[in-house]
Amino acid sequence: MLKEFKEFIARGNVIDLAVGIIIGAAFTAIVNSLVADLINPIIGLMTGGTDFSGHYFVLKGNVPEGASLQAARDAGASVFAYGSFLSAIINFLIIAWAVFLLVKAVNRVQRSVVQKKAEEAAPTGPTSEELLLQIRDELRATRA
């Protein structure tokens, strides 16, 4: 069983998956910073607040006016944190767009590689000059 596990781990696909997960985690940190530090303040200015992700409604409980989302949660209030949800949607859209662009670029590279291989593998036919020479030679042979 240990031998099978070693063989499984040593496969290229597992290593590729591990690398993808590690890069994905790092990329997630970048996207979270992009959304929290750059996009949310702009959206917050348009909606009248400075921190969009902190917007919420109190559903149940007592929360002091102007308290942060974390303070409301710490007070035990039941909150409808629509700002956090919208931030998660923005994060998803940014990540989905980046993955789309990455897949599009990889597909373009793969198509060009396949096309080059097809061009190399395709037999090259005679040129038009070579065909004309063959026709000339055949005509000479039939006249003689």
Side-chain angles (χ1 to χ4, degrees):
M1 189 161 164
L2 186 59
K3 181 181 174 185
E4 288 179 86
F5 181 72
K6 286 180 184 179
E7 290 173 4
F8 172 75
I9 293 297
R11 288 185 187 172
N13 294 344
V14 174
I15 303 297
D16 293 343
L17 180 62
V19 169
I21 289 171
I22 292 168
I23 290 175
F27 186 70
T28 299
I30 291 170
V31 171
N32 285 337
S33 175
L34 174 70
V35 171
D37 300 332
L38 302 177
I39 294 174
N40 280 346
I42 293 170
I43 294 173
L45 285 175
M46 291 187 296
T47 60
T50 57
D51 183 13
F52 184 69
S53 64
H55 289 212
Y56 65 92
F57 292 114
V58 177
L59 299 175
K60 182 179 178 186
N62 294 327
V63 177
E65 185 70 29
S68 69
L69 175 61
Q70 189 58 45
R73 287 180 174 161
D74 290 344
S78 190
V79 294
F80 185 78
Y82 67 91
S84 294
F85 179 70
L86 291 177
S87 293
I89 290 173
I90 292 169
N91 280 353
F92 170 76
L93 292 174
I94 291 170
I95 291 170
W97 180 252
V99 169
F100 168 74
L101 293 177
L102 178 66
V103 169
K104 186 175 179 172
V106 168
N107 286 341
R108 186 179 316 137
V109 169
Q110 285 179 342
R111 276 193 303 265
S112 69
V113 168
V114 168
Q115 185 178 10
K116 285 180 184 178
K117 285 183 180 180
E119 289 172 0
E120 291 173 1
T124 57
T127 64
S128 57
E129 293 171 349
E130 292 171 339
L131 289 172
L132 288 172
L133 289 174
Q134 287 177 0
I135 293 170
R136 182 198 67 189
D137 292 343
E138 288 182 24
L139 286 173
R140 282 185 183 165
T142 55
R143 287 185 191 163

